[in-house]
Amino acid sequence: MKILIKKIEKMHVNKNMFKLYFENGDSLIVFSDTIVKFSLRPGISILENDYNELISYDKSNKVMFDSLKLLSKKAYSENSLREKLIQKGYNTDIANKALTRLKELNYINDDNYAKNYALYLYKKGKGAFLIKAELEKQGIEKDLIKETLEKIKEEGESFEVILKILKTKFKNFNNKDKNETKKVISFFLRRGFAFEDISRAIKNNIDCDSI
């Protein structure tokens, strides 16, 4: 079976895309690369096999285009970008092929992503438990999470981070007030810090204030 191209029209929204109009009333939006690769022009007929190949090639272009558009706005882990592409309607196979190419080009790199995201959370005053949970949510592998948390430790002990926040956010903290102490402890627990580190920081804060 052959499909005749009746008209080709450039899209106004994206000048890199064209709309193909077929004699049977169907239409298809493709990238300019697809037009060039398959030598498409009005008046020619496309065999069914060629049409399927054209669709497959164009989807590969579209998924890369959408991936790069997403990555231009924010960083993604491999897993989180895969989920985003599937949400956009791409099947897993097409998404995985795009991800493989993006990794080859170093547009996605879970090692760098994990380190940068963990460091960002650390500087925002988040503890190891919360950082671990966030990295797991992004689909980062367990071994890489463990390695990343070890690197974060090099930035400073958790209790030092807690102590710094205590001295800024809770300047007038009174450890003798049980309700206030519970409130402070709950605040740091929610941020993913270990109870032992919180207790140590509070004790250290008291000792410093008494000097």
Side-chain angles (χ1 to χ4, degrees):
M1 187 180 77
K2 291 183 178 181
I3 307 169
L4 178 70
I5 299 175
K6 190 176 180 181
K7 183 172 71 170
I8 298 178
E9 191 177 78
K10 184 179 283 190
M11 301 293 290
H12 295 297
V13 179
N14 188 333
K15 293 181 179 180
N16 195 37
M17 301 187 79
F18 291 79
K19 189 169 187 177
L20 308 181
Y21 294 89
F22 300 102
E23 193 176 38
N24 62 5
D26 291 342
S27 62
L28 179 69
I29 296 173
V30 299
F31 279 87
S32 57
D33 285 357
T34 306
I35 298 283
V36 174
K37 180 174 173 62
F38 291 88
S39 302
L40 303 177
R41 63 183 186 278
I44 69 165
S45 295
I46 307 172
L47 292 171
E48 190 173 353
N49 286 343
D50 291 337
Y51 180 79
N52 292 334
E53 187 184 342
L54 182 155
I55 294 291
S56 177
Y57 178 81
D58 197 65
K59 276 187 178 177
S60 297
N61 280 341
K62 281 180 180 175
V63 71
M64 285 296 288
F65 176 83
D66 283 339
S67 297
L68 293 171
K69 190 174 180 181
L70 288 167
L71 289 166
S72 70
K73 295 175 182 176
K74 59 173 279 190
Y76 283 87
S77 66
E78 180 181 347
N79 189 65
S80 59
L81 184 57
R82 180 184 293 106
E83 289 179 354
K84 199 75 175 174
L85 292 173
I86 290 171
Q87 286 172 14
K88 280 183 166 288
Y90 295 106
N91 64 43
T92 306
D93 185 51
I94 289 174
N96 283 339
K97 283 179 182 176
L99 292 168
T100 298
R101 182 57 180 151
L102 290 166
K103 283 192 287 185
E104 288 171 356
L105 296 169
N106 206 35
Y107 282 116
I108 52 172
N109 183 315
D110 276 4
D111 285 12
N112 290 340
Y113 177 86
K115 182 182 177 183
N116 292 335
Y117 189 39
L119 190 58
Y120 165 78
L121 292 172
Y122 172 82
K123 288 181 177 178
K124 294 280 284 184
K126 309 300 182 183
F129 293 147
L130 190 143
I131 293 173
K132 180 176 180 288
E134 285 297 321
L135 291 177
E136 285 175 345
K137 196 187 295 182
Q138 299 301 319
I140 303 299
E141 293 180 358
K142 288 181 180 179
D143 287 345
L144 181 53
I145 291 175
K146 185 178 178 182
E147 183 185 324
T148 302
L149 291 175
E150 287 298 322
K151 287 179 181 176
I152 288 298
K153 281 184 181 178
E154 295 172 10
E155 298 290 329
E157 293 291 336
S158 291
F159 92 93
E160 292 174 349
V161 179
I162 298 168
L163 191 59
K164 185 178 178 181
I165 296 172
L166 267 174
K167 292 182 178 297
T168 52
K169 189 174 179 66
F170 301 97
K171 293 182 202 176
N172 302 317
F173 169 57
N174 178 8
N175 70 296
K176 292 179 182 178
D177 185 328
K178 289 184 179 180
N179 288 330
E180 190 176 349
T181 301
K182 283 181 182 179
K183 181 181 173 184
V184 168
I185 291 171
S186 295
F187 171 82
F188 286 110
L189 286 173
R190 286 196 304 272
R191 284 182 166 235
F193 291 101
F195 181 79
E196 293 78 7
D197 290 327
I198 299 168
S199 299
R200 183 183 172 191
I202 288 174
K203 184 179 182 306
N204 192 286
N205 185 58
I206 295 165
D207 291 344
C208 288
D209 289 343
S210 62
I211 294 173

